[in-house]
Amino acid sequence: MSAKKVDLSVEFCGKKFLNPFMLSSSPVSNSAEMVGRSFDAGWGGVAYKTLVTDRVPIVHPSPRMHGYDYGDKKLVGLQNVEQTTDRGLKPNLLDIAYLKKHWPRHRVMASIMGFSNQEWADLAKAVTDAGADMIELNFSCPHMTVEGSGCKVGQEHDLVEKFTTTAHKVTDLPLIAKLTPNVTDMTIPAMAAKRGGAVGITAINTVKGLSEVGLDDWVPRPNVFGKGAISGYSGPAIKPIGLRFIADLAAHPELKLPLSGIGGIETWVDALEYLLVGASTVQVTTGIIHYGYRIVEDMIEGLSDYMAQKGVSRVQDLVGKAIPHLHETGQFDIKRQGIARYDMDRCVGCGQCYIVCRDAGGFALEWDEKKRRPRQVEEKCLSCMICGFVCPVQGMISFKEMPKAFKRRETITLGRARS
Amino acid sequence: MGVAKRLDSPDCRGFDLGQAVAEAGRCLLCHEAPCSKACPAQTDPGAFIRKLRFRNLTGAARTIKKNNVLGGACGILCPTARLCEKECSATGIDRPIRIGRLQRFLVEHAWKTGFNPLEKPETRRKEKVAVVGSGPAGLACAAHLARLGFPVTVFEARPEPGGVLRYGVPEFRLPKEFLQRELDDIRALGVVFRCGSPVRGKGAAEALLKKGFKAVFLAPGLWAPMRLNSRKAAGVFSSVDFLAAQREGRKGPLENALRGKPCAVIGGGSVAIDCARSALRLGASDVYLLYRRSFAQMPAEEDERLEALQEGVHFLVLNQPVEYLCDPKGALTGIRLRKTRLGRPDGSGRRKPEEVPGTDWTLEVRAVIEAIGNKAPEGSSQAYPSVAVRPDGLIRAGEKDGRTSKAGIYAGGDIVRGPDLVVRAVSDGKAAAKAIAAQLGVRA
Ligand SMILES: Cc1cc2nc3c(=O)[nH]c(=O)nc-3n(C[C@H](O)[C@H](O)[C@H](O)COP(=O)(O)OP(=O)(O)OC[C@H]3O[C@@H](n4cnc5c(N)ncnc54)[C@H](O)[C@@H]3O)c2cc1C
Ligand SMILES: Cc1cc2nc3c(=O)[nH]c(=O)nc-3n(C[C@H](O)[C@H](O)[C@H](O)COP(=O)(O)O)c2cc1C
Ligand code: SF4
């Protein structure tokens, strides 16, 4: 199939999106000037930066973010102490109306957060009047300082239901609840939102974390004039957590709501994984903070080519395709066993496999000092595969299944039973 | 031995996926990428490296091939150190991104995974276009027109397409199968090759227009070797014949002439280096590279010079050949050389070599390869009498559109520029394709 024949459009909560790629609610979706440029770059929709009533003026701490690096890899994670929008409600509503007027085919989802029942109602009504396509109820900001807001609500399930009901009463727009990952079971607040009238779920917001501590000042980062805080952590490091929650929600037998996936998405591959575990749209913040809006070009091209090569013509046909393959660990067939297979022709002789197998694996490798090569004792291999993770030669160490007759040697015991 | 070891070195192979991803990981993803601005054919490395970085490998291959149908060959052959990589911002941190190798990898990766980034055109047009010569310029022009839906016929004098890529550049730098894959991609677009069909004889190009071709692109390159003014001797080859014989699989006679014997290559350009390295591979006992200026003044790329040096080529600089010496049967026994020294700068701004009187000496060699430049064959312009040519035989054509003095006839590549680069020939082919399409009412 030609990539040109692929249709990336997708329906989410009754609205048609040009493609599943959205800006998530954050500084990347802070104004019409920014969002408009993102639409021109290819993004299909936006969850606009969370609006609040003007009752309490919002002032962000400074500095408000901290980049977490791993070795020379920049920004594997991002720590932030930012709050909701610090712009007035009026200018934001004007911006939302402007976006709808100039980009009518793009979807604008207004994110709102109230500090009381009345505020939820006022905000829901205001964004409906401004022309938003749908509303995201932010039950998940991890650093709002006001009680009864942000993820404090997300953790109190009756409040989730109550505020959703409130919004539901004043608007016909689809309501999507954005939930916090800082809970053990997200399906409980998700069900509460559904009871309140939500027709979709967005997840995840940032994970509460503490990424780094200053070694000289002992202040957790970001250092806000001598003070640090446990705060929102995002970016590639949280992708496994986001995928897990989306999969949980998708697999829930009663929830059955369309999902918008977020957390650590940068490439079409990340986005596709979210689709496969059940999201029908995906949202991005840190990826844009790192690289700018341009990354969507590669998401669009990469996903289109993938679909063309797989012969899949609609995004919808990918949604949730991984869920049937998701099981409890207890259901694995442990009668089938394998080992790590070494393609020795390609070995460069670094010996890292030997070190880790000995110190963290089955001690299944012997080391030929002269030739600088490992030699595997198959019966001792645990198939933990850690040697393969550290091997610098791509694909040199892979997994292979062993015949039924294969018997793994037992680990040596040094202690002696007292007679 | 030196040669064998170099041939085995990973440098001769491409990157694998892991290496490519790691290298792309070093890219700074610059705003308005300077590397992209520096590529003569607008291959757009800034975009394809970013695509690789964001795991869009298909898209990266598409960017390369759409912009440059010889993206694979260019990845290997471009002197990147003075093109894209010269502008790389990463140089400010440590060293440039190895753009050429990434480009080669992406093209090879697409081949390996069966992904063809060049889709056949949806519309087929009627207007036929003829291309003369299947070197980089002709291939690029043909492919770009074919992608717009024009039926293109390429007339090639030699038995197989590719021009210098097929009959010049040695196999050890550009493997035949690699070129074959790249040509297959172009064939798949519907381009028709008529090999063994020289367009020659009076007015042959204009005749094509009369035969119904709406436009003709002339890209015959430069295939007449310039020769040293000395007596004839058996064992003296021109670079054109020497390199072509190897690519045509006629190695036998060359091996007889060179194996175990000392030989010399005359010249200081890339072609001379290719000849010298080929001579080593044919088994010459010693290969002398004779150049009348200094090492630093050689026009050959620095990395080629260093590779030749490491492989064991003896660089004999500041020496000028005077004449060949023969035995009574006319077989070469040596060259008389005269030492030179550098004087004042000449017209080209380089210090001019001056002969040092009384310094003649004899270098014993059994074979010589002259690599002192190529030109258009004598009388070749008869094939296009209405096209204005310069006294040296080069065609006059517009830099941005390849237009010649004759409407409907375009030209590009070495026949316009003089000896230049693959990537510039590609750029000429693209520009002419665009102008031809415009002439035929299509905006490319
Ligand atoms: C040995 C060698 C090594 C080189 N190495 C490099 C390198 O590493 N990197 C680089 O960038 N550049 C290199 N170059 C330069 C580069 O190859 C040329 O600039 C480029 O090939 C020019 O392309 P072209 O299409 O103009 O002509 P060519 O490649 O010369 O192709 C012209 C074609 O036209 C055919 N032809 C000629 N007359 C007729 C006719 N009357 N009818 C039909 N067909 C005809 C010829 O047979 C030939 O196939 C090298 C050149 C040589 C000679
Ligand atoms: C600086 C910053 C500010 C954010 N502000 C909001 C917000 O106002 N409302 C909201 O719903 N989510 C907010 N988020 C959370 C993001 O929308 C997103 O859920 C989270 O960052 C995970 O996605 P990512 O890994 O793509 O960044 C913010 C995130 C960051 C990094
Ligand atoms: S200039 Fe260098 S660092 Fe910048 S995009 Fe090009 S290759 Fe990358």
Side-chain angles (χ1 to χ4, degrees), chain B residues 113-251:
Chain B
T113 53
F115 173 72
N116 184 3
L118 294 179
E119 279 167 18
K120 264 199 149 175
E122 272 157 23
T123 42
R124 304 228 37 96
R125 300 178 198 279
K126 300 187 304 288
E127 303 89 343
K128 293 193 299 170
V129 179
V131 169
V132 179
S134 65
L139 291 171
C141 182
H144 282 268
L145 286 169
R147 281 185 40 221
L148 294 171
F150 292 104
V152 183
T153 308
V154 179
F155 296 91
E156 168 55 54
R158 292 180 178 253
E160 283 183 45
V164 171
L165 305 183
R166 178 66 185 80
Y167 293 103
V169 177
E171 170 84 21
F172 65 85
R173 284 212 293 138
L174 184 70
K176 203 148 112 192
E177 313 82 70
F178 190 101
L179 176 62
Q180 200 52 50
R181 292 300 299 256
E182 201 125 67
L183 289 168
D184 288 346
D185 289 348
I186 296 171
R187 275 205 186 87
L189 292 170
V191 172
V192 174
F193 287 94
R194 300 254 320 260
C195 291
S197 313
V199 174
R200 79 164 66 106
K202 197 152 174 56
E206 285 86 348
L208 288 171
L209 287 178
K210 288 198 193 95
K211 269 190 224 149
F213 289 101
K214 296 288 180 229
V216 175
F217 179 61
L218 299 174
L222 303 170
W223 286 88
M226 304 196 200
R227 301 307 299 257
L228 218 61
N229 198 4
S230 173
R231 82 172 70 146
K232 293 256 171 303
V236 178
F237 304 89
S238 75
S239 62
V240 172
D241 295 338
F242 177 73
L243 292 171
Q246 291 174 75
R247 304 278 339 227
E248 285 163 351
R250 293 188 282 113
K251 271 196 192 167

Side-chain angles (χ1 to χ4, degrees), chain B residues 345-380:
Chain B
D346 62 11
S348 72
R350 294 183 299 177
R351 289 174 65 192
K352 194 179 152 86
E354 294 164 352
E355 295 184 357
V356 186
T359 57
D360 286 12
W361 63 290
T362 299
L363 177 71
E364 279 180 28
V365 288
R366 294 284 174 274
V368 164
I369 300 130
E370 295 177 359
I372 52 175
N374 289 350
K375 56 184 188 207
E378 218 56 61
S380 56

Side-chain angles (χ1 to χ4, degrees), chain A residues 92-319:
Chain A
N92 277 318
L93 294 172
L94 289 172
D95 266 5
I96 287 175
Y98 181 90
L99 285 171
K100 277 317 299 175
K101 180 165 170 228
H102 289 90
W103 287 270
R105 297 166 61 229
H106 291 71
R107 293 292 162 228
V108 178
M109 174 156 77
S111 166
I112 60 172
M113 185 199 294
F115 299 129
S116 67
N117 221 13
Q118 187 58 45
E119 286 192 8
W120 282 102
D122 294 348
L123 287 165
K125 189 144 184 352
V127 298
T128 306
D129 294 342
D133 293 297
M134 49 221 305
I135 302 177
E136 189 172 78
L137 307 171
N138 183 351
F139 295 134
S140 48
C141 177
H143 12 78
M144 288 317 287
T145 41
V146 188
E147 264 321 308
S149 70
C151 79
K152 299 196 173 95
V153 174
Q155 292 156 345
E156 303 283 340
H157 312 136
D158 44 337
L159 282 182
V160 168
E161 181 172 347
K162 181 173 136 194
F163 292 152
T164 310
T165 309
T166 302
H168 190 49
K169 277 190 195 138
V170 299
T171 184
D172 292 334
L173 295 186
L175 298 177
I176 292 93
K178 180 166 177 181
L179 298 178
T180 175
N182 302 310
V183 292
T184 28
D185 184 353
M186 193 185 281
T187 62
I188 300 172
M191 284 301 290
K194 184 177 178 180
R195 285 192 301 274
V199 295
I201 306 289
T202 295
I204 57 177
N205 206 311
T206 51
V207 179
K208 277 196 178 194
L210 195 165
S211 54
E212 230 164 328
V213 180
L215 299 189
D216 294 325
D217 54 26
W218 304 343
V219 180
R221 296 303 190 233
N223 175 346
V224 184
F225 296 101
K227 295 176 180 160
I230 289 175
S231 57
Y233 189 58
S234 61
I238 69 160
K239 189 178 88 173
I241 301 170
L243 285 173
R244 171 251 159 148
F245 279 116
I246 290 294
D248 272 352
L249 296 173
H252 192 273
E254 282 140 54
L255 185 65
K256 303 214 172 308
L257 291 183
L259 306 171
S260 191
I262 326 185
I265 297 170
E266 283 182 354
T267 68
W268 68 273
V269 179
D270 306 322
L272 173 60
E273 287 170 326
Y274 271 94
L275 298 176
L276 292 172
V277 298
S280 26
T281 57
V282 294
Q283 304 183 25
V284 179
T285 283
T286 307
I288 298 171
I289 287 181
H290 195 163
Y291 301 109
Y293 297 136
R294 56 184 172 166
I295 59 175
V296 77
E297 204 186 300
D298 298 313
M299 295 182 165
I300 291 172
E301 196 174 27
L303 184 60
S304 305
D305 283 344
Y306 169 86
M307 288 169 64
Q309 286 175 329
K310 288 269 173 204
V312 175
S313 57
R314 298 180 323 146
V315 170
Q316 194 55 48
D317 298 339
L318 293 167
V319 173

Side-chain angles (χ1 to χ4, degrees), chain A residues 268 294 298 301 305 394, chain B residues 29 50-51 55 58 62:
Chain A
W268 68 273
R294 56 184 172 166
D298 298 313
E301 196 174 27
D305 283 344
Q394 214 169 36
Chain B
L29 302 173
R50 188 203 74 210
K51 288 174 188 232
R55 301 182 67 172
T58 49
R62 180 180 288 119

Side-chain angles (χ1 to χ4, degrees), chain B residues 26-30 33-36 45-46 49 84 87-90 97 99:
Chain B
R26 292 179 50 239
C27 173
L28 307 184
L29 302 173
C30 302
C35 53
S36 290
I49 298 172
C84 52
E87 299 303 322
C88 177
S89 305
I97 308 299
I99 299 175

